[in-house]
Structure formats: C-alpha cells, structure tokens
Amino acid sequence: MTESAAILSIVLPAASAMLGLLMGRDWARDWAVLGSLGALVAAIAELVLVGTDGPVTAFGFLGRAQLGGTTIDLALRSDQLSAAVAVLVALVAFCVQIYSTAYLAGEGTPDAPTRYPAYAATVSLFTAAMMLVVHSADLVLLLIGWEVMGLASYLLVGHHSERASARAAAAKAFLVTRVGDIGVVLAVVVLIAGAGTTSISDLNRAATENEIGHGTVLTAGLLLLAGVVGKSAQFPLHIWLPDAMEGPTPVSALIHAATMVAAGVFLMARLLPLYLTVPGALQTGAVLASISMVGAALAALAQTDLKRLLAYSTISQVAYMLGAVCVASDRELGSGDPTALAAPGVLHLLSHGAFKALLFLAAGCIVHIVGSTALADMGGLWRTHRSLAVLFGIGLLGLAGIPPFGGFWSKEAVLSAADEAAHAGTWVGWTVLVAGVLTIVLTGLYAGRAWAIVAMGRDPVLPAVGDAETEEPHENPHGHSQVPVAMMLPLYLLAIPTVAFGLVLLTPFDLLHGVEIQPGTAITGALLALSGVGWAVSAPRLGTPDIAVALPVRARALLENAFYFDAVIRALVVRPVLGLARTVQMLERDVVDAYVRAVRPTTEIAGTVLRRTQTGLATGYAVWVLVGAVVLTVAGMVLV
Amino acid sequence: MSGPDLLLTALALLAAASGLLAVTGSRVVHCALWLVVSLGALAGVYLVLGAEVVALVQLLVYVGAVVVLVIFALMLTRAPVEPSDRLDAPKGQKLAAVVAGISVGGILAGTLIYALQDLTVKVQGEQGSARNIGRAVFSGWLLPFELLSVLLLAALVAAIAVSRHLPAEKRPGQSLTEDGGVQ
Amino acid sequence: MIHLLGPAVLAAALAGIGVYGILARRNAVLVLIGAELLLNAANVLLVTASALPAGGLAGLEHSQTYHDPLIPGQVMTIFVITVAAAEIGLGLAIVLLLFRARGTVELTAVRELGEASPRHTETPS
C-alpha cells in the first residue's frame, strides 16, 4: 500500500504532464489539476500509511541498472521524511496548478502567448521529478529527478521566452545550478568508486560503521554540498534565484516553496548519517548558510521589487534549514536515529513551503491587480482588497516568525538546535546562532516593510486628497480590479497550514521528535521578530512607508544589488570564461582553421610553380624522362 | 696492345669524336656528314669484332640509306648551309642535356667497366660470316625476321601516307606568322 | 685476343652523346641524328656481347669455343638497324609534315602542349 501510494505520487504528475500535452489545449487544464490532486491524495495516503505501517526501506521501481561491475538498484523508499515532504510538494503543486488555470488563462496576445498546455505539463513534470527525488532510495535515481528538475526549472523560468530578460534568467539559472549539479554527478562517481554502492541507506550505514574511507566520504560530502548549494540557492551559487523571478509567479511559488530549493536541504537531511562522519563538510555548509542567511536578508531589506524581495527571503530562509542540518554534528545524539537531528531543518522546510507558497501566490494576485512587480507601484491593498491583504499578512507573519504562525515554531526549533550546538561549545553553533538571531530581526524588518508598502501605503495612482474614491477599486490600465476565484482559493488553502502549523508539533510524529523548542530562545526570537516588524510597520507614521529610505543612499544601493555579488561573479567567473572562450575561438580560427585555409594558397603556389615546367617543348619533357631514369638508376645502384 | 686492339681503339675514338661533332656542330649539313663518319667508323669496329655481315649492313643501310634520307630531309626543309645559332635548344635545356648525357654515359661506362674489367676474348670471325648469319636468321629468328619485314612495310606506307598531303582543315593558316614561324 | 673494354666504353660514350644530341638540339633532323647515335650505342654493345662465348660472362669459365648457333648479338644488331631504318623513315616523314605545316623544323616552335604557347587555350575551339 505504501509502495503504491509512493509510486502513484510520482507517476500521476508525470502521466498528467504527458496526457496534457498529447490531448490538446482543451484538456490540459483538467489533466494538470487532476494529476496534482491525485499526487496530493497519494502523498497524504502515503503519510498516513507510513505512520501506521512503518517505513519501507526499498522497493523496486525501475529495476536494476548494470554499470560495469556495479549494480545500481533503481529503487524507491518511503518513510516519514519523504512522505512529509511529498505532502508539501503535492499540496503546493496542487495550489499552483489551480492558481495557474486563472493566472495563465486564455491565449494571451501574439506578443506574449500564455502557452498554457506546455506550462502546465512542465509544472507537472517538475512535480514528478521532485517526487522522484524525495522517494529515491538510490543516488543515481535521485540524480535523474534532480536533473529533470533542473531542466523543468530552466523551461519554466524562461517560459516567457519572448522576453530577452527571461531567456537570460533561464540560462543563468541553468548554468549556475549546473555548476552545483556537476558536484552531484562527481559525488556519485566518487561513491561508486570508493564505496561501490549508491544506495542511500547502504551509504549511510557504511559511513556510520566506518566501512568507507574517510577521504571518500569527505570528497563526496563536499561535492554533494556543492550540488545542494546550487539547487538551494545558497552563497555563492545563489545568484540565479532572484533572476529566476522572470518566470511566471506560480512557478516562483513552486520553485521556492516546494521543489528545487527544498531538494538541496532534503538531500542533506537524507544523507545526514553520512555527513555526520565528516564534520568538515557540515561546518563548510554551516558557514555558507550563515553568510546566505544574513546577506540575503540584508539584500531583501532594500529590494524595490516585490518578487525579488521574496526571492532573497527564500535564500535567507533556506539558509535556516541548511544551518539547522549543518549544526547536527555538534549536537548530542539525542535519539539513536541520526535523521532526527535534521528534524528542525525539515520542520522549517515544511513550514516555509507553506508560507512562502502563500506569499508568492498572494504576490501574484497583487501583481495581477497592479500590473507591475515594482514595490513603488503598490500600496493601499488593505483598503482595496481586504481579504487578499489579510492572506498576504498571514504569509508575512509566518515569514517573520511571529507566534503562533508557522514560521515561529520551525524557526525557533532551528535556533534551539543552534543554541544546543553553541552550548556544546563549538564555533559552528555560535555562527549559526548569531546569524540566525540577527536574521530574525532582519526578517521582521523586511516583512514589515513589505506589509507597510503593499498594504498600508497610499494608493500611488490616486492623489491623497481624493478621500472618497480611495474606497473604490480603481481601474488600472495594466492590472485588474478583481482577482479570479481560482487564484484566491489556493491562498485560503495555504493559509490553513501557515496559521495552524504549530499543531503539527502536537502530533506523535517520529520525524519530529528531535525537535525541541527552548523557551529562552523562543521568547527572545519572538520578541526580536515583533520588534522588527513593529519598527518597519510603524514607518508610515514617520512619513514614508519604506524604511529602506532611512538607509544611506550608498548602503541602500549596495543592499539592493545584493552586495554587487553579480558583478563579482562577472569579474571572477564570467569574464575569464569568456576570455578563455575567445582564446579558444581565436586558436580555432587562426591556428586550426589556418591549416585548412592554407590548402588553397598552397595549391595555388604549387600550381603556379609546377605550370612553369609545362613548357610544351617535347625535348624539355624528354629531359625530365632521362633525369628520372638517371635518378632511378642511381637510387637502384645505391640501395641494392 | 695488340694490332686489333689498336685498330679498335682508333676506330672507337674516331666514332666517338665524329659523333660528338655530329651533335654539337653548328652547320646542319656538316652534322649529317659527321654522322656518316661516325657510322662508318662503327662499321669498322664491327668488322674488328668479327661481325662482318653486320658491318656490311651498317654500311649499306645506315650510311647508304639512312644518312641519305637525312640529307634529303635537310634539303627538303631548306636547312641553312651557313653556321646557325638556332640549331641548339635554350641555354638551360642545353645544360640539362649536358648533365643528362654525362650521367647516362657515366653510369653505363661505370657499369660496363665494372662488369668487363680487362676481359679479353678471342675474336670468333667465322660466326659473323654471311653463311652463319643467314642460317641463324632463317632458322631460329625466322618469325621475328618476318615480323620485322611487316614492320618495315608498315613504316614505309605510313611515311608515304604522312608526308603525301597535308589535310586542309589542319592548316593553321594566318596564325602561323603570329607564332614567329619561318615564312 | 682483344680487349672488350674499348667497344664497351665506346657504347657508353655514344649513348651519352646520343642523349645530349636528343636533348640539346632544336632542329628536328638533328634530334633524329642523336637518336641514331643512341641506337648505335646499343648496336655496339650487342656486337661486343656477341664476341663472348655462349652464356655471356657466366659462360667464360666453361668454354671459350662454344658458340650459340643463333648468334643473337649480331642478328639482333641487324634487326635494330632495320628498325632504325623504319624509324628514320617515319621520323623524317613527320619532320617534313611539320615543315610543310609550320614552315620550320624547330621544335621550340611546336609548343601546343604547354601553357606558354600563345595559341594555347583551355578549351579547344
């Protein structure tokens, strides 16, 4: 039963993608929604069955692959970790599919076609790939899903391929994540060579029992970490995520909440027993997570674009998860099961998935109304669209970690884990703890800022003196006053887990029994978050809704451009690569091709020289004949 | 050195010298005449070597017929009697000819000297007599002999056919003078 | 007893002279004279060889007196002279034809085979 549910959760979205493409435009919508609904039902069933029947470690899916001397069992596994993440993925995918039917309704204009069937099929494929990653019992199978996700994200980010910026963003996302993916491929190679197996459970067990060489594990761990950093958009491979905002907003919700960025953290949690034997890899991850956490939060503070603000918040929040997993080696092994050490990270993964999907879908509605993603064009949502404002607010509260919303519980669990590690006396714990506490304040600030600008600010289109008209929804030439029901419904659906996420902690879930929330850090964190939000929200009373204005201009520019890291990458990576490419091109054109081109002048010169011998004199030719005879004779006499 | 050796050497020197004059001379008719001397000396060489029939044939056919033919040809082509500098090829080709001639002669001489060294043989005069040659030609060499007669006939017919008339359409006409041809 | 080295060296010298005559002459008749000398070089060598007993140089050790009744050296010489007569007849006929066509017997005037010819064209008209 568990096996069937797991397989269905993978196969249904994949099948709906294929059927949606094959059966034409009229059916695309039905297949997409049905497929994701089926996956959601299957995932919930799987979660329930895993709870009652216990986990299934491995069951066949695609048979076995024989790679030389190594047999790779392309099997699936199902436990609470995979089932819980699968439910999140299916829920977000379902919401996104419903939302997309309205968001990308119609044919669009010839300049900007919606291309809905291809879009819906790609989203379904994306979902199926993430499900495959979640359920894989083998790294090779996981890698397949991992790569399909990379492809799907490329297609979806570049969905509006008529825009040059979308194409550039898609290429950037593809290339940057590819840098990390190479790490995963190499890690698989290293593990096959060093451990002889790619089965996740075998690897975890063998690493724990010191059957694999330490060097192999460390190499593979660091290479996998590169893939995690790429997929989860952590420093220094985070640069693709803000640009990926060029994709349709529901795609952003999918990428940021459920798939793609979550895959990296999931992989870390899955392989935690292996990672626990190599603390160096975890410490590296913790440092990168701390940098991403604070840096992205600071960048989010000064963004002028709502979607980019949310993108940087994703980097920051995913860094929480990664940090929580990475401090595991410094914590006491509370329960025997090392996976429990990853529980805070997984918990934040789940809660973040819910509130970030809510935020992005709400942001999509706001963009739908305003017709622009720039924060400067927004304002007064509270007065014009109260219910949407409330839902957006719930998402922001979850993001900021205000109790009792979802983000609070998971974030405090992360901080408690870091605190525990810090009390164990290691610098890694302290780094993550300090960064985490700092980021709570920053998160509160930018969440409050977003709220102050979007919901409280004045409607920028209408003058402030028009007191009577502000109550009415105005007609924007680019936007729409009404939000379709299909776009509002997923918001309500996602608001439920955001609000009530704390109830999860009351359930007797094995997965979460490593989670402890210490009152000290919890109260401190909540107060800090509240103060941050309060400060930002009170900004309109001081004259402007945007607290970023309070920053010095140069600092604001620095933060808005995310510390000019793109420029750094351009200088350190892009320029040398392009230079190398030009060098290779020059070598190809001026050296290799020169030989080819030289054929013509060489032939010409040879022909010019040789035609001089064609005098037409019969006796002249006879000279050659006799000279040849003499040469042959002499050669014969010398040689024989 | 015996008497035949001396005679042979003298005739050989005469033949070689007159042959050289025949190919280097600047008067066409003199060249043809030097050829007569050279061929006649060769007939003497054959005689010393005991090939009396060959020597006679040499005199009859070569000196009597071939050279006469050559002289007729010279007459028919209005060869100049006075010395001419247009008999030889350009300088470069002449140099190549010298190199080729010396190479061919040198290689042959070297090979033959290496093979014969100071070999001496007794002249077998009787084998070159008309009786023996006639017996050999009309017994063992009959078929080649008949074939040769056919060849000779064909050559004569061809020579007549070639020189009898010039096909009208092959006549180059006015372009002759452009080529610097002799009027 | 005579030395065979003399006629052999004579043959080599005539061959060299003949080659020079063929290559260095411009007048077609003189070229034919060079060819005659080359043919005679071969004849001298044939007659010289006929002075050897049967079997040639290898037969010297066995017998000084045994003769080949077919006398190949001398008969061959007679054949060569015949061929030379045919050759000179035909060759001079061609020379005469050339003279009648071009008004000259200089071989440098006959350059249709080469690109240097002023009348040369890539495609025959």
Side-chain angles (χ1 to χ4, degrees):
Chain A
M1 286 298 287
T2 318
E3 296 90 325
S4 312
I7 290 174
L8 276 180
S9 70
I10 299 168
V11 169
L12 283 177
S16 77
M18 202 163 293
L19 289 170
L21 274 183
L22 286 179
M23 293 186 61
R25 194 177 188 88
D26 299 336
W27 292 82
R29 177 179 309 180
D30 308 272
W31 281 119
V33 175
L34 273 179
S36 55
L37 180 63
L40 179 59
V41 171
I44 291 173
E46 184 193 352
L47 186 62
V48 172
L49 287 167
V50 165
T52 55
D53 299 352
V56 184
T57 48
F59 51 93
F61 179 53
L62 292 175
R64 290 159 193 274
Q66 189 73 34
L67 298 183
T70 313
T71 305
I72 290 170
D73 191 4
L74 298 175
L76 301 180
R77 62 183 286 174
S78 177
D79 53 17
Q80 287 195 347
L81 175 62
S82 54
V85 178
V87 168
L88 171 74
V89 172
L91 176 66
V92 174
F94 178 57
C95 293
V96 164
Q97 287 285 22
I98 293 177
Y99 188 91
S100 300
T101 57
Y103 190 83
L104 286 176
E107 295 283 339
T109 59
D111 292 337
T114 54
R115 291 190 278 264
Y116 177 76
Y119 165 86
T122 317
V123 169
S124 296
L125 182 68
F126 206 160
T127 314
M130 182 64 186
M131 287 293 191
L132 184 62
V133 168
V134 166
H135 286 108
S136 291
D138 191 280
L139 273 182
V140 174
L141 193 56
L142 187 142
L143 184 63
I144 294 171
W146 189 272
E147 297 288 353
V148 173
M149 272 207 295
L151 170 69
S153 70
Y154 168 76
L155 293 174
L156 288 174
V157 169
H159 182 69
H160 292 302
S161 54
E162 63 274 2
R163 291 206 304 261
S165 58
R167 294 195 296 272
K172 188 173 180 181
F174 193 71
L175 287 176
V176 174
T177 53
R178 188 106 323 249
V179 172
D181 293 351
I182 290 168
V184 181
V185 175
L186 289 180
V188 169
V189 172
V190 167
L191 285 174
I192 288 177
T197 178
T198 51
S199 163
I200 290 173
S201 52
D202 285 355
L203 282 174
N204 281 341
R205 184 191 49 76
T208 315
E209 294 168 11
N210 282 327
E211 289 175 13
I212 316 175
H214 186 75
T216 305
V217 179
L218 185 62
T219 313
L222 285 173
L223 287 170
L224 282 171
L225 183 66
V228 167
V229 164
K231 268 290 194 266
S232 290
Q234 296 298 294
F235 175 86
L237 297 179
H238 64 273
I239 50 171
W240 64 271
L241 195 65
D243 284 11
M245 291 300 111
E246 286 293 337
T249 309
V251 170
S252 303
L254 191 66
I255 290 179
H256 289 241
T259 59
M260 204 75 176
V261 295
V265 178
F266 173 82
L267 181 61
M268 288 287 280
R270 190 55 112 190
L271 286 172
L272 193 60
L274 183 138
Y275 270 109
L276 285 176
T277 61
V278 279
L282 285 179
Q283 284 161 0
T284 314
V287 170
L288 293 179
S290 303
I291 295 172
S292 311
M293 209 184 290
V294 181
L298 281 171
L301 201 54
Q303 292 303 307
T304 56
D305 185 294
L306 179 59
K307 287 183 73 180
R308 285 181 78 89
L309 185 149
L310 292 176
Y312 278 109
S313 88
T314 301
I315 298 175
S316 177
Q317 296 301 310
V318 172
Y320 265 111
M321 309 170 201
L322 195 62
V325 175
C326 286
V327 294
S329 67
D330 299 312
R331 294 168 62 203
E332 304 264 334
L333 274 172
S335 62
D337 178 14
T339 316
L341 290 173
V346 175
L347 191 68
H348 195 54
L349 171 71
L350 298 175
S351 75
H352 172 259
F355 68 68
K356 187 50 65 69
L358 172 61
L359 274 176
F360 262 111
L361 295 183
C365 293
I366 296 166
V367 171
H368 183 73
I369 293 166
V370 178
S372 156
T373 58
L375 281 172
D377 295 339
M378 298 172 184
L381 191 71
W382 180 256
R383 270 168 294 179
T384 55
H385 297 80
R386 179 112 356 138
S387 57
L388 180 58
V390 168
L391 290 166
F392 188 60
I394 289 173
L396 286 176
L397 289 172
L399 172 65
I402 307 293
F405 293 97
F408 168 74
W409 306 104
S410 56
K411 209 176 282 185
E412 297 316 326
V414 171
L415 284 184
S416 300
D419 186 46
E420 194 182 322
H423 278 97
T426 61
W427 58 270
V428 178
W430 279 114
T431 312
V432 175
L433 183 63
V434 169
V437 169
L438 195 58
T439 309
I440 282 191
V441 181
L442 293 170
T443 310
L445 276 174
Y446 69 71
R449 171 173 174 259
W451 172 258
I453 295 175
V454 174
M456 298 168 65
R458 291 188 180 279
D459 193 327
V461 177
L462 296 172
V465 289
D467 46 351
E469 291 161 323
T470 48
E471 296 299 322
E472 291 177 11
H474 65 279
E475 279 301 320
N476 188 308
H478 303 294
H480 315 266
S481 58
Q482 292 300 318
V483 180
V485 181
M487 285 168 72
M488 288 302 283
L489 199 64
L491 300 188
Y492 290 111
L493 198 56
L494 285 167
I496 297 167
T498 308
V499 174
F501 191 76
L503 297 177
V504 172
L505 292 175
L506 301 178
T507 60
F509 243 175
D510 289 342
L511 173 67
L512 302 175
H513 87 128
V515 174
E516 288 173 21
I517 297 178
Q518 293 168 3
T521 52
I523 293 167
T524 317
L527 286 176
L528 285 172
L530 267 176
S531 64
V533 173
W535 188 12
V537 169
S538 63
R541 308 261 182 277
L542 307 174
T544 169
D546 191 352
I547 51 157
V549 178
L551 290 168
V553 176
R554 297 183 65 158
R556 207 166 75 204
L558 179 71
L559 294 184
E560 190 185 337
N561 291 300
F563 307 98
Y564 296 106
F565 194 71
D566 267 333
V568 173
I569 291 283
R570 191 164 294 128
L572 290 184
V573 179
V574 178
R575 288 249 179 80
V577 168
L578 284 179
L580 187 67
R582 268 192 287 273
T583 311
V584 170
Q585 185 196 22
M586 198 191 70
L587 286 175
E588 158 76 19
R589 193 184 52 215
D590 295 344
V591 179
V592 177
D593 275 4
Y595 289 113
V596 181
R597 283 199 303 273
V599 169
R600 188 183 66 90
T602 309
T603 314
E604 267 184 5
I605 291 168
T608 313
V609 171
L610 287 178
R611 73 192 289 179
R612 287 174 191 277
T613 64
Q614 300 300 311
T615 55
L617 286 173
T619 48
Y621 297 145
V623 170
W624 288 113
V625 171
L626 276 159
V627 166
V630 168
V631 167
L632 281 180
T633 312
V634 172
M637 288 185 346
V638 169
L639 295 177
V640 179
Chain B
M1 268 185 125
S2 61
D5 266 343
L6 273 176
L7 192 56
L8 199 58
T9 311
L11 286 170
L13 282 175
L14 179 62
S18 54
L20 197 60
L21 285 170
V23 296
T24 53
S26 57
R27 293 172 190 237
V28 184
V29 183
H30 287 202
C31 290
L33 294 176
W34 280 122
L35 181 67
V36 173
V37 174
S38 176
L39 296 178
L42 281 180
V45 169
Y46 296 157
L47 210 53
V48 175
L49 285 171
E52 51 183 75
V53 174
V54 175
L56 284 174
V57 171
Q58 171 91 358
L59 278 180
L60 277 173
V61 177
Y62 258 120
V63 183
V66 170
V67 176
V68 169
L69 215 56
V70 166
I71 289 171
F72 262 107
L74 289 177
M75 283 164 55
L76 287 173
T77 58
R78 291 182 228 160
V81 179
E82 67 276 9
S84 167
D85 55 351
R86 292 187 62 85
L87 298 182
D88 281 350
K91 273 265 163 55
Q93 194 183 331
K94 216 168 154 184
L95 194 68
V98 170
V99 172
I102 289 174
S103 306
V104 169
I107 288 171
L108 277 177
T111 314
L112 289 171
I113 290 168
Y114 173 78
L116 298 175
Q117 289 166 3
D118 56 348
L119 178 71
T120 56
V121 292
K122 193 163 161 288
V123 177
Q124 300 150 346
E126 73 281 7
Q127 75 165 359
S129 67
R131 176 192 302 273
N132 286 337
I133 295 288
R135 189 176 288 137
V137 165
F138 290 102
S139 60
W141 297 100
L142 187 60
L143 191 60
F145 179 79
E146 295 298 340
L147 280 176
L148 262 180
S149 62
V150 173
L151 173 77
L152 203 54
L153 185 63
L156 288 177
V157 171
I160 293 167
V162 164
S163 59
R164 240 184 82 196
H165 68 279
L166 186 70
E169 67 272 14
K170 294 276 177 66
R171 189 181 284 276
Q174 275 75 14
S175 61
L176 252 182
T177 47
E178 293 170 17
D179 209 25
V182 179
Q183 297 298 303
Chain C
M1 299 295 282
I2 53 172
H3 285 87
L4 287 186
L5 201 58
V9 172
L10 172 65
L14 280 179
I17 290 166
V19 164
Y20 171 81
I22 290 174
L23 298 184
R25 289 304 209 177
R26 189 192 298 233
N27 191 305
V29 180
L30 297 180
V31 170
L32 283 177
I33 288 176
E36 292 307 315
L37 287 174
L38 200 53
L39 280 170
N40 273 287
N43 283 351
V44 171
L45 209 50
L46 283 171
V47 172
T48 308
S50 80
L52 292 170
L57 290 173
L60 276 177
E61 292 145 22
H62 306 299
S63 161
Q64 285 274 3
T65 56
Y66 174 74
H67 312 300
D68 189 338
L70 289 178
I71 327 169
Q74 296 185 21
V75 176
M76 277 294 178
T77 310
I78 291 170
F79 287 176
V80 169
I81 289 170
T82 318
V83 171
E87 172 248 322
I88 198 86
L90 202 51
L92 288 175
I94 293 172
V95 168
L96 280 181
L97 187 67
L98 178 71
F99 178 76
R100 282 161 60 188
R102 297 286 168 82
T104 179
V105 289
E106 289 183 3
L107 289 178
T108 47
V110 188
R111 313 186 72 149
E112 268 70 16
L113 286 176
E115 283 194 313
S117 163
R119 280 189 283 164
H120 166 79
T121 50
E122 290 292 334
T123 52
S125 54

